């Protein structure tokens, strides 16, 4: 399972707060994916994607 952030992040930080094991805020104040989604973090990563106010987080479950 992989996460990616498509263009349009507004830098709100919600994903990094929700799932800091996978998402963090980069030097440009936008979110980035830096960790792999594991069995332990899958639910939080999905929650971060669903909670994103601009819907720019995609989770590939394959």
């Amino acid at each position: 399972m992989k996460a990616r952030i498509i263009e349009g992040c507004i830098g709100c930080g919600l994903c990094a707060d929700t799932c800091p094991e996978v998402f963090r805020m980069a030097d440009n104040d936008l979110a980035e994916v830096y960790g792999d989604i594991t069995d332990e973090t899958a639910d939080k990563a999905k929650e971060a994607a669903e909670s994103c106010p601009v819907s720019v987080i995609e989770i590939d479950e394959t």
Side-chain angles (χ1 to χ4, degrees):
M1 189 178 301
K2 299 263 186 207
R4 76 180 193 117
I5 299 174
I6 60 174
E7 187 176 336
C9 176
I10 60 172
C12 72
L14 184 60
C15 59
D17 289 341
T18 304
C19 189
E21 300 87 354
V22 176
F23 305 100
R24 68 179 171 197
M25 300 308 290
D27 292 339
N28 63 359
D29 293 326
L30 298 178
E32 68 178 359
V33 176
Y34 79 101
D36 292 328
I37 299 173
T38 64
D39 290 340
E40 293 79 24
T41 61
D43 288 341
K44 289 197 302 183
K46 289 177 187 176
E47 180 183 343
E50 292 168 2
S51 300
C52 178
V54 289
S55 302
V56 296
I57 300 173
E58 296 180 343
I59 305 290
D60 180 4
E61 297 192 36
T62 59

